[in-house]
């Protein structure tokens, strides 16, 4: 279908991959740009009808904050403490903000490695850095299990050896 002019931007109507009529804003006043976007949406829908689309495209195009809200709901449904839930979400948001990541493809192994290196420069312990990495891994593992994403960008990253960076020596256990 052809884009239709609205008061400010062009609106595009098309049939999606499931045959559902969709109406979206082109977010542009340029008629030619809106027509190109409409053609691309129709092409993607046609590919989806024959099963040739990326099954994780929607998850990749969903903002990380929306995924985090769903993950928070998941954590609330699990048997985790309020402290753990708040700490995990805080760590995820800090890592995403440091990387300037708004969408899942913005999170890369090299970006996570840079973030962990920044934590090290700030004097954070190996255990703290590992807990940030563990929060990231748990979140992306959840994203893959729930079919939001196809892979976990943190799975190949090694943990830091905590024995080399002891901040506190623990008391030995009492004798039996």
């Amino acid at each position: 279908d052809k884009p239709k002019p609205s008061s400010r931007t062009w609106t595009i109507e098309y049939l999606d991959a499931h045959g559902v009529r969709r109406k979206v804003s082109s977010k542009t006043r340029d008629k030619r740009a809106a027509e190109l976007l409409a053609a691309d949406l129709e092409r993607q829908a046609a590919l989806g009808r024959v099963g040739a689309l990326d099954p994780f495209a929607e998850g990749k195009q969903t903002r990380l904050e929306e995924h985090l809200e769903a993950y928070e709901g998941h954590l609330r449904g699990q048997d985790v403490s309020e402290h753990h839930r708040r700490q995990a979400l805080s760590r995820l948001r800090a890592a995403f903000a440091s990387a300037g990541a708004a969408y899942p493809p913005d999170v890369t192994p090299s970006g996570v490695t840079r973030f962990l290196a920044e934590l090290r420069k700030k004097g954070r312990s190996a255990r703290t850095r590992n807990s940030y990495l563990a929060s990231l891994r748990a979140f992306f593992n959840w994203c893959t299990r729930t079919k939001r994403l196809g892979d976990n960008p943190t799975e190949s990253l090694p943990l830091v050896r905590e024995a080399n960076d002891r901040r506190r020596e623990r008391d030995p256990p009492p004798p039996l």
Side-chain angles (χ1 to χ4, degrees):
D1 291 39
K2 292 215 177 223
K4 296 181 181 176
S6 64
S7 60
R8 295 192 178 146
T9 62
W10 289 86
T11 301
I12 300 167
E13 289 185 33
Y14 70 100
L15 290 178
D16 71 8
H18 306 289
V20 176
R21 181 157 296 283
R22 300 285 180 183
K23 194 178 207 177
V24 296
S25 169
S26 67
K27 299 180 183 174
T28 181
R29 292 181 174 183
D30 183 342
K31 182 178 180 180
R32 182 65 184 136
E35 288 173 340
L36 291 171
L37 179 59
D40 188 51
L41 289 171
E42 289 174 357
R43 182 186 61 77
Q44 288 178 18
L47 287 171
R49 285 191 285 274
V50 298
L53 270 184
D54 177 3
F56 306 107
E58 186 176 336
K60 291 175 183 175
Q61 295 169 359
T62 301
R63 295 186 64 77
L64 281 166
E65 193 56 42
E66 288 182 50
H67 288 300
L68 285 175
E69 288 171 11
Y71 185 58
E72 181 175 13
H74 164 75
L75 290 176
R76 285 185 190 279
Q78 300 298 309
D79 192 20
V80 298
S81 70
E82 183 73 12
H83 172 76
H84 171 80
R85 183 187 57 75
R86 277 188 280 119
Q87 187 176 53
L89 293 169
S90 172
R91 288 181 170 166
L92 291 167
R93 286 187 173 102
F96 298 153
S98 173
Y103 295 91
D106 297 339
V107 180
T108 63
S110 61
V112 172
T113 300
R114 274 192 304 276
F115 170 69
L116 295 173
E118 287 173 21
L119 290 177
R120 183 171 185 256
K121 286 179 189 172
K122 291 178 182 177
R124 303 294 182 154
S125 70
R127 185 176 190 126
T128 297
R129 296 190 316 268
N130 281 342
S131 68
Y132 274 87
L133 182 55
S135 292
L136 286 161
R137 277 191 184 153
F139 171 71
F140 284 109
N141 282 336
W142 173 81
C143 286
T144 57
R145 272 195 322 275
T146 58
K147 306 291 188 229
R148 291 166 176 269
L149 299 174
D151 63 338
N152 180 341
T154 65
E155 70 187 345
S156 65
L157 299 178
L159 292 173
V160 178
R161 288 197 47 171
E162 293 179 19
N164 295 345
D165 187 22
R166 289 267 182 227
R167 300 296 169 103
R168 266 186 228 169
E169 288 300 320
R170 307 288 181 207
D171 290 336
L176 296 175

